[in-house]
């Protein structure tokens, strides 16, 4: 593993066309199972990093900002000597991927958007209200209590053992990184905007990956995304929820590899469609 020692803790593994995996909010380990899949690990140069406020990267200074997140992602590409890359975002980091493509389009060959947050989709009121309630819980009860409230509702009371069973140490990292999630990531997402005029500037090939069991909060994301980007292709993973890349990495990796073969000419084995 070649590890960069720049401003953000970033690293690269493998050989082939570069694929930047932008880590999502709260769970820095969320994309680890996906990065281990042979369909990606054996055919691409995988780039990733700990976002500001996470892991060994510098602490946060000031409020969260998706514009700053995009600038950080562009700096990582430069630090890891990638003039351009395919870019994958998952949940919160979909917004980072889109902002990166808007602000540095020459650096983005294609976009993989896994379970985009419904913050801008029609009917987002429930999603916005849930996030504001979390911020109220942090204010009244503290980060630890808000974390248990959030992940207990999302994955059940046994979330720690469930997550650690997939990637050991995940629950410890989540607890360590939770302040960045509540103080920067959620406010940044609530302040984010992507209107039709900005969206028309994004012409890169796009893949949207969704779980069929993501629930009602995400029900309108597909249509919203296709209204903004008529050229986007959607692959749905049966039986998967919002954490599809963590729970169904083989299916997601197969879909991503096939898409990249078509979008960027990457030489990877074809697989049956998901």
């Amino acid at each position: 593993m070649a590890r960069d020692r720049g401003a953000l803790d970033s690293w690269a593994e493998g050989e082939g066309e570069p694929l930047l995996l932008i880590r999502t909010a709260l769970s820095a380990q969320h994309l680890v199972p996906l990065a281990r899949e042979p369909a990606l690990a054996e055919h691409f140069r995988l780039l990733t990093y700990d976002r500001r406020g996470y892991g060994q990267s510098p602490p946060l200074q000031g409020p969260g900002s998706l514009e700053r997140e995009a600038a950080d992602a562009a700096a990582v590409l430069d630090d890891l000597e990638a003039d351009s890359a395919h870019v994958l975002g998952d949940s919160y980091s979909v917004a980072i991927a889109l902002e990166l493509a808007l602000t540095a389009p020459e650096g983005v060959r294609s976009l993989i958007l896994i379970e985009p947050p419904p913050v801008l989709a029609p009917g987002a009121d429930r999603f916005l209200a849930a996030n504001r309630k979390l911020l109220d819980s942090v204010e009244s009860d503290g980060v630890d209590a808000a974390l248990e409230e959030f992940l207990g509702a999302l994955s059940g009371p046994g979330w720690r053992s469930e997550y650690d069973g997939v990637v050991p140490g995940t629950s410890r990292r989540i607890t360590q990184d939770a302040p960045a999630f509540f103080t920067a990531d959620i406010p940044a997402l609530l302040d984010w905007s992507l209107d039709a005029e900005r969206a028309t500037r994004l012409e890169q090939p796009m893949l949207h990956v969704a779980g069929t069991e993501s629930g009602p909060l995400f029900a309108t994301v597909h249509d919203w995304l296709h209204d903004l980007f008529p050229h986007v292709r959607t692959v749905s993973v049966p039986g998967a929820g919002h954490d599809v890349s963590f729970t169904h990495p083989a299916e997601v990796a197969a879909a991503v590899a096939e898409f990249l073969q078509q979008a960027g000419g990457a030489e990877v084995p074809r697989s049956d469609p998901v």
Side-chain angles (χ1 to χ4, degrees), residues 82-102:
D83 293 334
S84 64
H86 305 286
V87 177
L88 183 150
D90 187 303
S91 190
Y92 170 80
S93 65
V94 165
I96 303 174
L98 291 170
E99 283 296 323
L100 174 62
L102 285 164

Side-chain angles (χ1 to χ4, degrees), residues 129-210:
N131 279 272
R132 293 190 180 105
K133 182 175 181 295
L134 274 177
L135 296 182
D136 290 341
S137 294
V138 172
E139 185 70 23
S140 60
D141 303 321
V143 166
D144 290 344
L147 178 65
E148 293 297 334
E149 175 188 342
F150 174 63
L151 289 181
L154 185 68
S155 301
W159 66 269
R160 292 179 182 274
S161 59
E162 180 181 338
Y163 289 6
D164 289 343
V166 179
V167 181
T170 293
S171 65
R172 176 187 57 80
R173 277 296 307 269
I174 286 175
T175 302
Q176 171 187 318
D177 296 332
F181 173 64
F182 289 113
T183 63
D185 296 345
I186 292 179
L189 188 61
L190 295 181
D191 287 342
W192 185 49
S193 65
L194 178 65
D195 57 27
E197 187 280 326
R198 293 185 80 212
T200 59
R201 293 157 48 191
L202 295 178
E203 299 178 349
Q204 293 91 343
M206 291 186 192
L207 174 68
H208 167 219
V209 180

Side-chain angles (χ1 to χ4, degrees), residues 64-143:
S65 163
L66 280 161
E67 292 79 8
R68 185 179 65 193
E69 295 266 26
D72 282 346
V76 166
L77 290 179
D78 185 60
D79 290 342
L80 297 179
E81 300 180 347
D83 293 334
S84 64
H86 305 286
V87 177
L88 183 150
D90 187 303
S91 190
Y92 170 80
S93 65
V94 165
I96 303 174
L98 291 170
E99 283 296 323
L100 174 62
L102 285 164
T103 57
E106 70 285 350
V108 179
R109 301 184 189 185
S110 69
L111 287 161
I112 299 103
L113 314 176
I114 301 177
E115 282 285 315
V119 64
L120 301 178
D125 292 352
R126 286 179 59 196
F127 178 80
L128 296 172
N131 279 272
R132 293 190 180 105
K133 182 175 181 295
L134 274 177
L135 296 182
D136 290 341
S137 294
V138 172
E139 185 70 23
S140 60
D141 303 321
V143 166

Side-chain angles (χ1 to χ4, degrees), residues 4 8-10 27 42 47 49 61 71 91 128 147 175 177 180-181 187 203 230 233 240 242-243 250 260 262 272 274:
D4 177 78
L8 297 179
D9 196 28
S10 59
S27 179
E42 295 179 3
L47 319 174
Y49 62 103
Q61 294 183 349
S91 190
L128 296 172
L147 178 65
T175 302
D177 296 332
F181 173 64
E203 299 178 349
R233 172 191 172 193
H242 183 60
D243 54 356
L260 292 180
Q262 297 168 355
D272 294 332
V274 176

